[in-house]
Amino acid sequence: MTDQTTTTRTPSRLKRLLQLLAVAALLWAVVALVRFLLPSSTLSQARAAVAGGKFEEAARLYEQHLSARPADWEVRTELGLVLAEFDRPRALGEFRQVPPEADAYLEARRQMVWICLASERLNEAEAVLLELNEKVTDDFLPPFQLAQLYFRQRRAAAALPYAKRSTELNPEHAPGHFLVAELLDDLGRTSEMIVPLERVIELELDHYAAHLDLAYAYAESGEPAKSRREAAWCLERHPQDVNARRFLAQAARDEGKIEEAMREIDAALRIVPADVECRLLEAELLLFQEQPEKALKRLQPLYEHHASDRRLVALLARAAASSGNAAEAARYRQQVQRLSE
Amino acid sequence: MMRMENGCLAILGGCLLLCGFQAACSPNHSDQSRLDPSRRDAARVGAPAPPGTPTPGSTNFGAAAAPGSSGETATGPLRFVDVGELLGLRFSHHSPLTPQRHIHLFLGSGIGWLDYDRDGWPDLFCAQGAGFPPGGPADTGSAGITNTLYRNRGGRDLDDVTLRAGLENVDYSMGVAAADYNNDGFVDVCVTGYGRNDLYRNNGDGSFARVRLPADQQPGRLSSSCTWVDVDADGNLDLFIANYARLGPDNYPLCEHTSAGITIPISCHPSQIEAQHDLIYRNTGRGTFEDFSDRAGITASSPRAGLGVVAADLDRDGDIDLYVANDTTENQLWENQGSGRFVDRGAASGTSRNRHGENEAGMGLVAGDLTGRGRVDLFVCNYYGETNTLYRNEGRLLFADITAEAGLGAPSRLRLGFGTSLADFDQDGWADLLIANGHVQDRLPEVQRNEPFAQRLLLFHSQRGVRYREVAAQAGAFLASPHVARSTAIADFDRDGDPDAAINCLHARAALLRNDSDPQGNWIRLELIGRSSNRQGVGAAVRLTAGDRLLLRTVQAGTGYLSSDESTILMGVGPHAGTCDVSVVWPGGLVETWDTLAVNRSWRLVQGAGQVANTPP
């Protein structure tokens, strides 16, 4: 009887065990599925830490999450952003891992650009920007940043096509137009600055730098009346702006109003007595008025600190020669020659 | 949701990371003859008396007044009408650009006035270009394209007399300078060019004979402006030729420009070509010339790309100095040491660079009293983005760049200046300026460079020498329109008492601008006849006192860019209606004076017939 009972109860236990195991497996699968489908609590905690400004803690939690899911590229990109707040090299490392096939790839590349630019990794920034410029043809930012990068590297000729491209892609982006103007100035194409600067002002009526640059561009393009208008606009807002006052003086000079020019330059020099640009203009006016001794006296103190400024030395040579100081004039002329070689 | 967070973070991250220029003299004086004494009023209705016919208004000029009055409206103080085509000026410059943009094809050719037949009417010589290579496909069908001499028939029409004169030349010609180098009373002409410089002696019968200059043929050498100057004051005119560069014929420099991913062929920058030393040919007085360049000292420094040259006594020491405008390198002021030996005083005089010590791309230039101070100032045309430059003569061979203060800077910034002429267009007693503009690059817009090939000329009206006002836009249709203009030359071709202008444009029809400005005063015309000096008085300084004004003009034979003005001096004297006193400083320093010359007349002043003064007034 006992043996018989045993024989009959064994299958029943096994069955129950199997059922339990099945339920457990089902539960495990459900939990796994739920965990797979929903953000982990670690991730939630990480994001909460970011919101609270606790970047290091957030990074730790992100890494914890990524240790289980190393191919979660979006989260890795988030980690990169957080790391960028306190450890840029590590952040860069995280972004670099994102493979081209990942959805987060372009975003990671964009973030790499910011970090590279901020940490002077300019070669890498250039490479990534060129890649982005090629892959994302409707985004104004990569060409704009590329132009900015080249501008910083004093490669204006290389920068200009990208800056212009950025303004084509986003005509409402005032910094793009302003950058175009600055690049044209670097290239000596001063007169061409006018159109982009006028566009900047269309977009941002009170863009002070654009008004000031426009005063300069008009002056250099033979439009003193317009230069005067822009300089006056600036002076209404910043009466102490020496550059604006100098442009006003230059406009007056170009209009033949020599006395007015002298008054304006005097006013500017009362604000900043050692302003080289103003002193140069003052000396030019004095030489025109045949006062070479006075011009020489005003320029001489600048020479010690600006001996490599060819404009200054050329004016000194002229003032010295007209004052009868032949030997001094010859010295300055030799310096001009050296500076020209 | 995650993407949104990601985007926000991206922007946040980005923002955090990046936060970034006297002696008695009357019309009846026995030693001076009266030329063309037409009255101003008669002239205004178009009635210039032919020379030798002293009766004012004896010839009606109405027929010539009609041409050009083609409905053009001009409202400015200076007004011109292009009457070239109507008067028979058919000349069209030929300089087809090559796909590679060979540079000399951009530089254009000169134009000059000379009274070759001594009939009293200035005739017009137009220098012609050519295709490249010469005789190549670009020249196909261009038979008859040659330098051209037009005889001025009484200011009413122009006859092409090239063949009769024997002046055909199918090479690329550049500079023109006309003067009577052999003192026979007939004007000769020098024509420089690509690979060849030609001197034509006037036979006095309407024809010219070619005279050989040393090394006048040198393949690849591009000579530019030339001027006649008696460098050693021996009474024989010598010849200065500015050389630009050596351009082939093998290894002709070709250049490209890449921008915005686009590569275009462009004409080369002067730094990319081999400059050549300028030349001085000394006139032996026996009909031949010798190369005097080394002995003159002008080859002592490295060669520069010369484009313009003027000759005048800049330091008032009696000998003639030279000023050469060079392309992107320092200009040279060659101070004559008295015997034809020159020393470069460009840097010391303040004329080698602009006020900021920068070299400029010098093209054409004029020397004259632009500021009304009785001294010879210098005015140089320069490149696009630079200004033209006015150097005020301060005495002691020192000059001051007063371009901006004179109002000549701003309007010239966005122009590339080539030819320029100085003339008192409205007879107010103050010399005005005409400037021919046009770029040397025709394809810049393709690389997004806003620098136009064709550009409007500039016309500056002198405001009593203190300032210049630009008035071209109101000066008539030709001046109000863009052209690729190169050379300008001045003459009173219709003998109405005001200066007219001829203009040679690149690969386009030449223009003859008749001056229709309202006169603001009177005029006087002076023809100098040298005896011990060269016969035309080239190099002489004429100082004329009209009331309280002292006017200065110099006789030059080769000025501006590649060009030559009429040799007689036409001076506006302003409202002064009385007589004028004239003092002439002949080359070599001899000073003679003539008093009480009436205005609105032409006068011939013969050396030795005036009263000799000891020092220049």
Side-chain angles (χ1 to χ4, degrees), chain B residues 91-97 104-110 125-135 138-139 142-148 168-176 191-194 222 504-508 562:
Chain B
F91 181 83
S92 190
H93 186 251
H94 178 70
S95 187
L97 301 178
H104 77 278
L105 299 172
F106 284 93
L107 297 179
S109 304
F125 182 91
C126 301
Q128 183 57 281
F132 187 81
D139 283 341
S142 61
I145 290 182
T146 169
N147 294 335
T148 306
E168 314 97 299
N169 183 338
V170 296
D171 294 327
Y172 202 110
S173 295
M174 297 279 292
V176 178
V191 183
T192 68
Y194 179 54
L222 184 68
N504 203 347
C505 297
L506 187 75
H507 200 59
L562 309 176

Side-chain angles (χ1 to χ4, degrees), chain A residues 256-312:
Chain A
K257 298 166 183 168
I258 303 299
E259 297 303 325
E260 182 191 341
M262 195 53 103
R263 279 198 305 276
E264 292 297 342
I265 213 67
D266 282 347
L269 285 166
R270 278 197 296 276
I271 300 166
V272 184
D275 185 274
V276 176
E277 299 294 332
C278 290
R279 284 289 174 207
L280 294 178
L281 184 54
E282 179 195 40
E284 289 176 15
L285 293 166
L286 288 169
L287 286 167
F288 175 70
Q289 294 175 323
E290 298 183 89
Q291 300 180 55
E293 293 86 0
K294 202 169 173 181
L296 186 62
K297 199 174 161 187
R298 300 278 172 88
L299 291 174
Q300 278 168 332
L302 301 176
Y303 184 72
E304 186 184 353
H305 298 293
H306 302 278
S308 61
D309 188 327
R310 187 171 53 193
R311 299 167 306 162
L312 169 67

Side-chain angles (χ1 to χ4, degrees), chain B residues 282-307:
Chain B
R282 185 176 168 274
N283 184 345
T284 63
R286 299 185 298 275
T288 59
F289 289 81
E290 59 184 14
D291 188 343
F292 193 65
S293 312
D294 291 340
R295 277 180 285 166
I298 65 166
T299 57
S301 55
S302 55
R304 299 173 194 176
L307 282 177

Side-chain angles (χ1 to χ4, degrees), chain A residues 43 47 50 62 74-75 77-78 81 84-85 88 103 107 111 114-115 117-118 145 161 164 189 191-192 219-224 253-256 258 284-285 287-290 310-311 314-315 318 321-322 324 333 336-337 340, chain B residues 2-3 5-7 9-18 20 259-261 330 347-348 353-359 373 384 392 394 396 398-402 404-407 410-411 413-414 447-451 466-467:
Chain A
L43 201 50
R47 287 173 181 161
V50 171
Y62 276 124
E74 292 193 356
V75 171
T77 305
E78 284 183 52
L81 281 168
E85 293 302 318
R88 287 175 183 165
D103 288 347
E107 185 55 37
Q111 297 308 324
W114 293 111
I115 293 173
L117 289 175
Q145 288 177 311
K164 285 189 169 176
R189 294 161 59 179
S191 64
E192 293 177 59
E220 294 296 310
S221 306
E223 298 199 61
R253 179 199 64 181
D254 290 351
E255 291 172 335
I258 303 299
E284 289 176 15
L285 293 166
L287 286 167
F288 175 70
Q289 294 175 323
E290 298 183 89
R310 187 171 53 193
R311 299 167 306 162
L315 283 173
R318 187 173 140 195
S322 296
R333 280 201 305 273
V336 171
Q337 185 62 38
S340 303
Chain B
M2 186 177 284
R3 284 182 189 281
E5 276 185 36
N6 219 345
L9 275 172
I11 293 166
L12 170 72
C15 295
L16 286 168
L17 286 167
L18 273 186
S259 180
E330 298 101 311
R353 299 184 166 103
N354 68 11
R355 68 172 68 190
H356 293 141
E358 297 160 339
N359 295 337
R373 295 150 52 103
Y384 191 95
R392 182 177 68 192
E394 312 267 276
R396 297 179 292 144
L398 290 172
F399 290 77
D401 172 355
I402 61 158
E405 292 80 2
R413 276 202 180 275
L414 305 186
V447 289
Q448 300 177 7
R449 295 278 300 266
N450 184 25
E451 297 180 19
V466 176
R467 198 167 161 73

Side-chain angles (χ1 to χ4, degrees), chain B residues 29-378:
Chain B
H29 194 282
S30 57
D31 286 324
Q32 61 197 27
S33 66
R34 206 167 63 177
L35 274 185
D36 187 15
S38 52
R39 286 188 322 185
R40 175 75 207 166
D41 289 345
R44 291 311 306 169
V45 296
T53 314
T55 312
S58 60
T59 305
N60 194 301
F61 195 44
S69 53
S70 54
E72 293 185 24
T73 54
T75 56
L78 306 179
R79 300 194 295 270
F80 293 86
V81 176
D82 181 4
V83 296
E85 199 164 357
L86 293 167
L87 267 61
L89 178 61
R90 312 260 183 263
F91 181 83
S92 190
H93 186 251
H94 178 70
S95 187
L97 301 178
T98 57
Q100 301 91 342
R101 297 304 191 259
H102 290 82
I103 186 172
H104 77 278
L105 299 172
F106 284 93
L107 297 179
S109 304
I111 199 161
W113 293 98
L114 64 159
D115 182 7
Y116 85 104
D117 54 359
R118 289 184 59 174
D119 67 351
W121 299 90
D123 310 299
L124 184 61
F125 182 91
C126 301
Q128 183 57 281
F132 187 81
D139 283 341
T140 303
S142 61
I145 290 182
T146 169
N147 294 335
T148 306
L149 177 64
Y150 287 98
R151 179 168 177 255
N152 179 356
R153 297 207 314 167
R156 287 173 297 226
D157 54 65
L158 298 171
D159 273 356
D160 182 344
V161 295
T162 311
L163 287 175
R164 212 180 320 150
L167 290 170
E168 314 97 299
N169 183 338
V170 296
D171 294 327
Y172 202 110
S173 295
M174 297 279 292
V176 178
D180 178 9
Y181 80 82
N182 54 358
N183 297 325
D184 66 353
F186 288 92
V187 181
D188 314 292
V189 60
C190 172
V191 183
T192 68
Y194 179 54
R196 162 177 174 172
N197 296 327
D198 291 314
L199 174 59
Y200 297 100
R201 186 188 66 227
N202 191 330
N203 295 323
D205 59 358
S207 71
F208 290 80
R210 187 155 176 257
V211 175
R212 296 301 301 264
L213 293 167
D216 53 2
Q217 295 192 41
Q218 202 171 95
R221 179 185 64 195
L222 184 68
S223 297
S224 54
S225 294
C226 50
T227 195
W228 292 98
V229 50
D230 184 0
V231 298
D232 50 3
D234 64 354
N236 296 313
L237 281 173
D238 311 298
L239 180 61
F240 183 98
I241 296 179
N243 282 328
Y244 187 67
R246 181 173 185 79
L247 302 169
D250 302 321
N251 301 318
Y252 193 120
L254 298 170
C255 300
E256 291 181 332
H257 174 78
T258 301
S259 180
I262 301 168
T263 298
I264 56 168
I266 59 167
S267 61
C268 290
H269 186 272
S271 63
Q272 295 165 305
I273 59 181
E274 181 190 343
Q276 297 273 284
H277 275 118
D278 299 330
L279 293 165
I280 292 183
Y281 290 119
R282 185 176 168 274
N283 184 345
T284 63
R286 299 185 298 275
T288 59
F289 289 81
E290 59 184 14
D291 188 343
F292 193 65
S293 312
D294 291 340
R295 277 180 285 166
I298 65 166
T299 57
S301 55
S302 55
R304 299 173 194 176
L307 282 177
V309 58
V310 286
D313 182 3
L314 298 172
D315 52 5
R316 295 177 65 173
D317 64 354
D319 53 32
I320 309 301
D321 311 297
L322 292 156
Y323 183 67
V324 183
N326 295 310
D327 195 358
T328 70
T329 49
E330 298 101 311
N331 298 331
Q332 293 154 310
L333 192 160
W334 293 110
E335 183 195 14
N336 194 334
Q337 302 300 291
S339 56
R341 174 90 192 160
F342 291 87
V343 173
D344 183 7
R345 303 285 189 210
S349 65
T351 57
S352 63
R353 299 184 166 103
N354 68 11
R355 68 172 68 190
H356 293 141
E358 297 160 339
N359 295 337
E360 295 180 306
M363 314 282 181
L365 69 166
V366 288
D369 186 5
L370 281 88
T371 53
R373 295 150 52 103
R375 294 186 181 125
V376 178
D377 308 306
L378 296 165

